[in-house]
Amino acid sequence: MRDRLRELINGLIPTGSVVQRTVKSGIWVSATKAAVRLSQVLMLVVLARLLAPRDFGLMGIALLTLSATRRFTDIGINAALIQDSDTDVDRYLNTTWSLEIARGFLLFGGLFVAAPYIAGFFDEPQATSLIRVLGLIPLLYGVRNPGVVYFEKDLSFHKDFIFKSGGSLAQFVVGVGYAVYSPTVWALVFATVSKTLVKLVLSYVLHGYRPWPAFELDVARKLIDYGKWITGASIVSFIYSEGDDAFVGWFLSATALGFYQYAYRLADLPASEVSGVISKITFPAYSRLQNDIDDLRAALLQTTRLTAFMAFPLSFGIALVAPSFVPAVLGPEWNPMIVAMQILAMYGLFHAITRNFGAVWKALGRPDYIVKTGLLRIVCIAVLIWPATARWGIEGTALVVVGVYVFPMLPIDVYLAAQLVEARPAQIYSEYAYPFIAASVMFVTLRYVAFATDLSSLGEFVLLVPAGAVIYLAVAFLLERRFDWGIQHNLRTIRDGMKS
């Protein structure tokens, strides 16, 4: 039994052709995402029963502050190392380590000094101490082993699985354990810090590179030259992905922010994590195919098909089960987030089906597209978010975020991705058609069932989830048989790729 288990694990270590390595890496990335997100969701579900929505709002303010400082100082070093055509990037790592340590000390000091002013901006003085403690995270991140970049660059995601799931396990244990002892916002704070600390230790356990303080100007200049667009993309991404959170916390209240962030996390989680798995492994894979446009185009269309196949039912399903899931699992005090969660489920869908485009843009040396499209999205949201939130609260904020994605962002993203790989936009749109039909049939059928039955919230949730999976897969099978959709080919490719 032990030998068979060892043989199975060895068979899943990414080796072989690019396709085989990509598929096997996808299995490990999927396992990593599943382990990380499952532990996070379980922690949030447990803590939702122990803590108040306001506690999550206070933590949200602190996390927004931390995220802003990290995003605004992200110089894109890891992306530059992954995109580099050389397989051995050891000569860059000491300089990388020195830059990250300096950045960590800078952020820690800045957050410590700025904390009371930031808390005052949100009119929540209690957030001051939370921000200062979370300031330790960039410091810990800075001293971790830079050799972990090889986990992604070499598609060695079996090591990445241990690295990330270990941190998430620590987060769950500390968060839940402390909340049981003392149900306060500090359970969230200590859980977050413990995750980073454990990952710091694991970075040296899992990779043999040992950094030494050094700084080479030419190396730093090369890394930063590529990373300048990643920096811009990081800043822009923060503004359009978390600017709405900051606005809700400032314009409404910390409690409203708790509802909005929780709705956003749960609505975006399944669909975006599907695309997160795919984009994480396709960036290094696309980088290897950057000189073969035909193979790159085929890879983009296949990953788009696979992403859509999984993202549509997940997003439609979230919109369907939110009214039963929230009171049954989180508790009735969280009911004000239901409508926002249903709306944001559509954001999760659009986020998922376009996220893969960024990997293509970066692989082909056009990370500036991420910045430019992000700036357009920011302008559109900025014009609409104030009146919509003033009129409809967090539901209005959610409508703006989703509406801007529908138009103009989706058509622009599709056009740019198609242009770079010398495809027609219609080829990409066609990959969305079949999963949209199957997911719509699932949604309409089960919506009728939910109205026609008189079940408790928990009973309805338990019924809808498996029924939705059966209906979607049945309709997808019929579409595949009738129109030769192509999803079976994708699944066979995954199966064949697992064979070494």
Side-chain angles (χ1 to χ4, degrees):
M1 182 65 180
R2 184 180 301 174
D3 292 338
R4 288 183 179 179
L5 181 60
R6 185 182 296 111
E7 182 180 350
L8 176 62
I9 294 174
N10 289 337
L12 289 175
I13 293 176
T15 56
S17 67
V18 173
V19 172
Q20 290 173 329
R21 295 178 68 189
T22 301
V23 170
K24 292 176 182 179
S25 296
I27 295 171
W28 282 107
V29 174
S30 300
T32 302
K33 291 286 185 180
V36 169
R37 297 311 176 194
L38 179 61
S39 66
Q40 288 181 348
V41 169
L42 286 176
M43 184 186 77
L44 291 175
V45 167
V46 173
L47 295 187
R49 292 284 185 172
L50 296 173
L51 308 181
R54 175 176 165 77
D55 291 327
F56 286 90
L58 289 171
M59 183 63 174
I61 291 172
L63 288 176
L64 277 172
T65 305
L66 177 64
S67 179
T69 55
R70 294 177 70 174
R71 296 282 194 99
F72 276 68
T73 59
D74 181 5
I75 53 179
I77 293 177
N78 278 358
L81 294 175
I82 294 168
Q83 196 271 346
D84 195 293
S85 57
D86 291 340
T87 56
D88 186 345
V89 292
D90 281 6
R91 66 185 183 280
Y92 300 118
L93 296 187
N94 285 340
T95 299
T96 295
W97 195 57
S98 299
L99 288 171
E100 291 289 9
I101 290 175
R103 175 177 173 238
F105 274 104
L106 176 66
L107 293 184
F108 174 72
L111 286 171
F112 191 89
V113 172
Y117 303 102
I118 297 169
F121 173 78
F122 288 98
D123 196 23
E124 293 289 352
Q126 189 177 345
T128 300
S129 55
L130 308 184
I131 294 170
R132 284 175 168 170
V133 173
L134 288 180
L136 292 169
I137 289 177
L139 196 60
L140 296 172
Y141 179 90
V143 296
R144 76 174 186 175
N145 187 355
V148 297
V149 72
Y150 282 113
F151 297 167
E152 189 169 345
K153 184 174 180 65
D154 294 342
L155 300 178
S156 299
F157 289 108
H158 55 300
K159 294 182 179 180
D160 197 51
F161 170 79
I162 301 173
F163 177 63
K164 291 182 177 176
S165 60
S168 294
L169 178 61
Q171 181 184 34
F172 175 83
V173 171
V174 172
V176 173
Y178 190 90
V180 171
Y181 165 73
S182 176
T184 65
V185 67
W186 288 101
L188 294 167
V189 175
F190 294 143
T192 305
V193 174
S194 66
K195 176 182 178 180
T196 306
L197 180 60
V198 169
K199 289 174 70 175
L200 165 63
V201 174
L202 287 175
S203 71
Y204 287 92
V205 172
L206 295 172
H207 198 278
Y209 186 83
R210 293 296 177 261
W212 188 258
F215 183 81
E216 296 181 36
L217 184 60
D218 291 341
V219 170
R221 185 180 291 117
K222 179 179 179 179
L223 294 173
I224 295 172
D225 183 60
Y226 174 86
K228 64 179 181 293
W229 286 111
I230 303 299
T231 305
S234 181
I235 294 171
V236 169
S237 175
F238 169 80
I239 295 173
Y240 72 67
S241 65
E242 299 184 70
D244 52 338
D245 293 355
F247 181 80
V248 167
W250 170 76
F251 188 71
L252 297 178
S253 66
T255 301
L257 176 60
F259 287 131
Y260 184 79
Q261 283 193 325
Y262 221 129
Y264 179 94
R265 287 181 184 179
L266 293 174
D268 187 50
L269 183 65
S272 67
E273 289 309 316
V274 168
S275 65
V277 170
I278 295 174
S279 64
K280 188 174 183 63
I281 60 176
T282 52
F283 175 36
Y286 287 158
S287 296
R288 293 168 184 264
L289 297 173
Q290 59 186 284
N291 297 320
D292 191 333
I293 200 66
D294 292 333
D295 284 349
L296 183 56
R297 178 173 58 253
L300 174 62
L301 293 175
Q302 289 185 27
T303 52
T304 298
R305 182 183 309 139
L306 185 61
T307 302
F309 173 70
M310 293 185 283
F312 270 90
L314 289 171
S315 294
F316 277 49
I318 289 171
L320 178 70
V321 305
S324 56
F325 169 83
V326 172
V329 179
L330 303 182
E333 67 272 20
W334 290 92
N335 283 351
M337 65 179 263
I338 290 175
V339 175
M341 181 176 172
Q342 291 178 300
I343 297 170
L344 289 169
M346 295 302 101
Y347 169 81
L349 173 62
F350 293 120
H351 184 197
I353 62 178
T354 61
R355 186 174 180 177
N356 190 43
F357 298 159
V360 174
W361 298 343
K362 289 190 291 184
L364 293 179
R366 294 307 306 264
D368 58 303
Y369 280 2
I370 303 175
V371 178
K372 293 169 182 175
T373 56
L375 286 172
L376 176 60
R377 185 180 303 168
I378 289 170
V379 171
C380 293
I381 292 176
V383 170
L384 300 171
I385 193 170
W386 191 309
T389 304
R391 177 68 177 83
W392 295 295
I394 61 173
E395 291 85 0
T397 309
L399 283 171
V400 169
V401 171
V402 174
V404 169
Y405 226 132
V406 174
F407 185 83
M409 299 318 305
L410 179 62
I412 292 174
D413 287 350
V414 169
Y415 172 78
L416 292 175
Q419 184 185 53
L420 275 184
V421 298
E422 299 178 11
R424 290 176 290 107
Q427 291 177 273
I428 295 177
Y429 285 123
S430 66
E431 302 296 349
Y432 303 148
Y434 296 122
F436 171 75
I437 294 171
S440 297
V441 171
M442 175 197 75
F443 183 90
V444 172
T445 302
L446 293 181
R447 186 71 171 174
Y448 174 78
V449 171
F451 276 120
T453 56
D454 185 21
L455 297 173
S456 66
S457 295
L458 181 59
E460 185 175 286
F461 175 68
V462 171
L463 170 67
L464 293 179
V465 172
V470 170
I471 293 173
Y472 178 78
L473 291 175
V475 176
F477 175 76
L478 293 175
L479 291 172
E480 175 71 19
R481 292 291 299 272
R482 179 65 179 85
F483 298 103
D484 193 23
W485 173 2
I487 192 64
Q488 280 188 322
H489 172 73
N490 283 91
L491 298 177
R492 289 194 194 100
T493 300
I494 293 174
R495 182 196 63 194
D496 295 342
M498 292 174 61
K499 299 176 182 178
S500 48

